[in-house]
Coordinates of all heavy atoms in Angstrom, one line a residue:
L1 N 140.6 110.6 118.3 CA 140.2 111.9 118.8 C 139.8 111.8 120.3 O 140.2 112.7 121.1 CB 139.0 112.5 118.0 CG 139.2 112.8 116.6 CD1 137.9 113.2 116.0 CD2 140.2 114.0 116.5
A2 N 139.2 110.7 120.8 CA 138.7 110.7 122.1 C 139.9 110.9 123.2 O 139.8 111.6 124.2 CB 137.9 109.4 122.5
P3 N 141.1 110.2 123.0 CA 142.1 110.3 123.9 C 142.8 111.7 123.9 O 143.5 112.1 124.9 CB 143.2 109.3 123.5 CG 142.4 108.3 122.6 CD 141.3 109.1 122.0
M4 N 142.6 112.5 122.8 CA 143.2 113.8 122.8 C 142.6 114.7 123.8 O 143.2 115.7 124.3 CB 143.0 114.5 121.4 CG 143.9 113.7 120.3 SD 143.5 114.3 118.6 CE 144.2 116.0 118.9
G5 N 141.3 114.5 124.2 CA 140.7 115.4 125.2 C 140.1 116.6 124.5 O 140.2 116.7 123.4
T6 N 139.4 117.4 125.3 CA 138.7 118.6 124.8 C 139.6 119.8 124.8 O 140.7 119.8 125.3 CB 137.4 118.8 125.7 OG1 137.8 119.1 127.1 CG2 136.4 117.7 125.6
S7 N 139.1 120.9 124.3 CA 139.9 122.1 124.0 C 139.4 123.2 125.0 O 140.2 123.6 125.8 CB 139.8 122.5 122.6 OG 140.4 123.8 122.4
C8 N 138.2 123.6 124.9 CA 137.6 124.7 125.7 C 137.8 124.5 127.1 O 137.3 123.2 127.5 CB 136.2 125.0 125.3 SG 135.5 126.3 126.2
P9 N 138.3 125.3 128.0 CA 138.5 125.0 129.4 C 137.1 124.6 130.0 O 137.0 123.8 130.9 CB 138.9 126.3 129.9 CG 139.6 127.0 128.9 CD 138.9 126.6 127.6
D10 N 136.0 125.3 129.7 CA 134.7 124.9 130.2 C 134.4 123.5 130.0 O 133.7 122.8 130.8 CB 133.7 125.8 129.7 CG 133.5 127.1 130.4 OD1 134.6 127.7 130.6 OD2 132.4 127.6 130.8
H11 N 134.8 122.9 128.9 CA 134.5 121.5 128.5 C 135.1 120.6 129.5 O 134.4 119.7 130.1 CB 134.9 121.3 127.0 CG 134.1 121.9 126.0 ND1 134.4 121.9 124.7 CD2 133.0 122.8 126.2 CE1 133.5 122.7 124.0 NE2 132.7 123.2 124.9
F12 N 136.4 120.7 129.6 CA 137.2 119.7 130.4 C 137.0 119.8 131.9 O 137.2 119.0 132.6 CB 138.6 119.4 130.0 CG 139.5 120.6 130.2 CD1 139.9 120.9 131.4 CD2 140.1 121.4 129.0 CE1 140.8 122.1 131.5 CE2 140.8 122.4 129.2 CZ 141.3 122.8 130.5
L13 N 136.7 121.0 132.3 CA 136.3 121.2 133.7 C 135.1 120.4 134.1 O 135.0 120.0 135.3 CB 136.2 122.7 134.0 CG 137.3 123.5 134.2 CD1 136.8 125.1 134.3 CD2 138.1 123.2 135.4
R14 N 134.2 120.2 133.1 CA 133.0 119.4 133.4 C 133.2 117.9 133.1 O 132.5 117.0 133.7 CB 131.9 119.9 132.6 CG 131.4 121.3 133.0 CD 130.5 121.2 134.1 NE 129.9 122.5 134.4 CZ 128.9 122.7 135.4 NH1 128.5 121.7 136.0 NH2 128.5 123.9 135.6
T15 N 134.0 117.7 132.1 CA 134.2 116.2 131.5 C 135.4 115.5 132.0 O 135.5 114.3 131.4 CB 134.0 116.3 130.0 OG1 135.1 117.0 129.4 CG2 132.6 117.0 129.6
K16 N 136.3 116.1 132.6 CA 137.7 115.6 132.8 C 138.4 115.8 131.5 O 137.9 116.0 130.4 CB 137.7 114.2 133.4 CG 137.6 114.1 134.9 CD 138.1 112.8 135.4 CE 138.3 112.9 137.0 NZ 137.0 112.9 137.7
I17 N 139.7 115.5 131.6 CA 140.6 115.7 130.5 C 140.3 114.8 129.3 O 140.3 115.2 128.1 CB 142.1 115.4 130.9 CG1 143.0 115.7 129.7 CG2 142.3 114.1 131.4 CD1 143.1 117.2 129.2
R18 N 139.7 113.6 129.6 CA 139.4 112.6 128.4 C 138.3 111.7 128.9 O 138.3 111.4 130.1 CB 140.6 112.0 127.8 CG 141.3 111.1 128.8 CD 142.5 110.5 128.1 NE 143.4 111.5 127.5 CZ 144.4 112.0 128.0 NH1 144.7 111.9 129.3 NH2 145.2 113.0 127.4
P19 N 137.5 111.1 128.0 CA 136.6 110.1 128.4 C 137.2 108.7 128.5 O 138.4 108.5 128.1 CB 135.6 110.2 127.3 CG 136.4 110.4 126.0 CD 137.4 111.4 126.5
L20 N 136.3 107.8 129.0 CA 136.6 106.3 128.9 C 135.9 105.8 127.7 O 134.7 106.0 127.7 CB 136.3 105.5 130.1 CG 136.3 104.1 130.2 CD1 137.7 103.5 129.8 CD2 135.8 103.5 131.5
V21 N 136.7 105.1 126.8 CA 136.0 104.4 125.7 C 135.9 102.9 126.1 O 136.9 102.2 126.2 CB 136.7 104.7 124.3 CG1 136.0 103.9 123.3 CG2 136.7 106.2 124.1
L22 N 134.7 102.4 126.1 CA 134.5 101.0 126.5 C 134.7 100.0 125.4 O 134.5 100.4 124.2 CB 133.0 100.8 126.9 CG 132.6 101.5 128.2 CD1 131.1 101.0 128.5 CD2 133.4 101.0 129.4
Q23 N 135.4 99.0 125.7 CA 135.7 97.9 124.7 C 135.1 96.6 125.4 O 135.6 96.0 126.3 CB 137.2 97.7 124.6 CG 137.9 99.0 124.1 CD 137.5 99.3 122.6 OE1 137.0 98.5 121.9 NE2 137.6 100.6 122.4
L24 N 133.9 96.2 125.0 CA 133.2 95.1 125.5 C 133.1 93.9 124.4 O 132.7 94.3 123.3 CB 131.9 95.4 126.1 CG 131.8 96.5 127.2 CD1 130.4 96.9 127.6 CD2 132.6 95.9 128.4
K25 N 133.3 92.7 124.8 CA 133.2 91.7 124.0 C 131.9 90.9 124.2 O 131.5 90.8 125.3 CB 134.4 90.7 124.2 CG 135.8 91.4 123.9 CD 137.0 90.4 124.1 CE 138.3 91.1 123.8 NZ 139.4 90.2 124.2
G26 N 131.5 90.3 123.1 CA 130.3 89.4 123.2 C 129.0 90.2 123.5 O 129.0 91.4 123.4
D27 N 127.9 89.4 123.6 CA 126.6 90.0 123.8 C 126.4 90.3 125.2 O 126.0 89.4 126.0 CB 125.5 89.0 123.2 CG 124.1 89.5 123.3 OD1 123.9 90.7 123.6 OD2 123.2 88.7 123.2
V28 N 126.3 91.6 125.6 CA 126.1 91.9 127.0 C 124.8 91.5 127.5 O 124.6 91.3 128.7 CB 126.4 93.4 127.2 CG1 127.8 93.8 126.7 CG2 125.4 94.3 126.5
L29 N 123.8 91.4 126.6 CA 122.5 91.1 127.1 C 122.4 89.6 127.5 O 121.4 89.3 128.3 CB 121.4 91.3 125.9 CG 121.3 92.8 125.6 CD1 120.3 92.9 124.4 CD2 120.8 93.6 126.7
S30 N 123.2 88.8 127.1 CA 123.1 87.4 127.5 C 124.3 87.0 128.5 O 124.3 85.9 129.0 CB 123.3 86.5 126.2 OG 124.5 86.7 125.6
Q31 N 125.2 87.9 128.8 CA 126.3 87.7 129.8 C 125.9 87.8 131.2 O 124.9 88.4 131.5 CB 127.5 88.6 129.6 CG 128.2 88.4 128.2 CD 129.3 89.3 127.9 OE1 129.9 89.9 128.9 NE2 129.7 89.5 126.8
S32 N 126.5 87.0 132.1 CA 126.1 87.0 133.5 C 126.7 88.4 134.1 O 127.5 89.0 133.6 CB 126.8 85.8 134.2 OG 128.2 85.9 134.2
D33 N 126.2 88.6 135.3 CA 126.6 89.8 136.0 C 128.1 89.7 136.2 O 128.7 90.8 136.1 CB 125.9 90.0 137.3 CG 124.4 90.3 137.2 OD1 124.0 90.4 136.0 OD2 123.6 90.3 138.2
E34 N 128.5 88.6 136.7 CA 130.0 88.5 136.9 C 130.9 88.6 135.6 O 132.0 89.2 135.7 CB 130.3 87.2 137.6 CG 131.7 87.0 138.2 CD 132.1 88.1 139.2 OE1 131.2 88.6 139.8 OE2 133.3 88.5 139.2
E35 N 130.5 88.2 134.6 CA 131.2 88.4 133.3 C 131.3 89.8 132.9 O 132.3 90.3 132.5 CB 130.4 87.5 132.2 CG 130.6 86.1 132.3 CD 129.9 85.3 131.3 OE1 128.7 85.7 131.0 OE2 130.3 84.3 130.7
L36 N 130.2 90.6 133.2 CA 130.2 92.1 132.8 C 131.2 92.7 133.8 O 132.0 93.6 133.4 CB 128.8 92.6 133.0 CG 127.9 92.2 131.9 CD1 126.5 92.8 132.1 CD2 128.4 92.6 130.5
R37 N 131.2 92.4 135.1 CA 132.0 93.0 136.1 C 133.5 92.8 135.7 O 134.4 93.7 135.7 CB 131.8 92.5 137.5 CG 130.6 93.0 138.2 CD 130.6 92.7 139.7 NE 129.5 93.0 140.3 CZ 128.4 92.2 140.5 NH1 128.5 91.0 140.1 NH2 127.3 92.7 141.0
Q38 N 133.8 91.5 135.2 CA 135.2 91.1 134.9 C 135.6 92.0 133.7 O 136.8 92.2 133.5 CB 135.3 89.7 134.7 CG 135.1 88.9 136.0 CD 136.1 89.4 137.0 OE1 137.3 89.6 136.8 NE2 135.6 89.5 138.3
Q39 N 134.7 92.3 132.8 CA 135.1 93.1 131.6 C 135.4 94.4 132.0 O 136.3 95.2 131.4 CB 134.1 93.0 130.5 CG 134.0 91.6 129.8 CD 133.5 91.8 128.3 OE1 134.2 92.5 127.5 NE2 132.4 91.3 128.0
L40 N 134.5 95.0 132.9 CA 134.5 96.5 133.1 C 135.6 96.9 134.1 O 136.3 97.9 134.0 CB 133.2 96.9 133.7 CG 132.1 96.9 132.7 CD1 130.8 97.3 133.4 CD2 132.3 98.0 131.7
M41 N 135.9 96.0 135.2 CA 136.8 96.5 136.2 C 138.2 96.8 135.7 O 138.8 97.8 136.0 CB 136.8 95.4 137.3 CG 135.6 95.2 138.2 SD 135.6 93.8 139.2 CE 137.1 94.1 140.2
P42 N 138.8 96.0 134.8 CA 140.2 96.4 134.4 C 140.2 97.7 133.6 O 141.2 98.5 133.7 CB 140.6 95.2 133.5 CG 139.7 94.1 133.9 CD 138.4 94.7 134.3
Q43 N 139.1 98.0 132.8 CA 139.1 99.3 132.0 C 138.9 100.5 133.0 O 139.7 101.4 132.7 CB 137.9 99.2 131.1 CG 138.0 98.1 130.1 CD 137.0 98.1 129.0 OE1 136.6 99.1 128.3 NE2 136.1 97.0 128.9

C-alpha cells in the first residue's frame, strides 16, 4: 500500500506522492553513527 501513494489531492500535496519506508538492519541503539549513515544514505 505505501508505494501506491495517497488518493485525496490534499493528502499528497502535503505528503508527496508516496512515503519512504525504512529498511534498517541490526540494533540501531548499538550501532555507530557511521553505520547508521551508511544504512540510510542509499535509501
Side-chain angles (χ1 to χ4, degrees):
L1 293 174
M4 291 176 66
T6 56
S7 172
C8 177
D10 277 46
H11 292 176
F12 62 74
L13 280 172
R14 292 279 187 170
T15 65
K16 274 201 168 72
I17 182 65
R18 58 181 58 88
L20 168 62
V21 179
L22 291 179
Q23 303 292 335
L24 296 176
K25 299 177 181 178
D27 178 10
V28 300
L29 295 177
S30 62
Q31 291 178 25
S32 69
D33 291 355
E34 189 56 30
E35 286 174 321
L36 289 176
R37 280 195 191 93
Q38 291 305 317
Q39 285 208 66
L40 289 171
M41 287 171 62
Q43 297 183 57

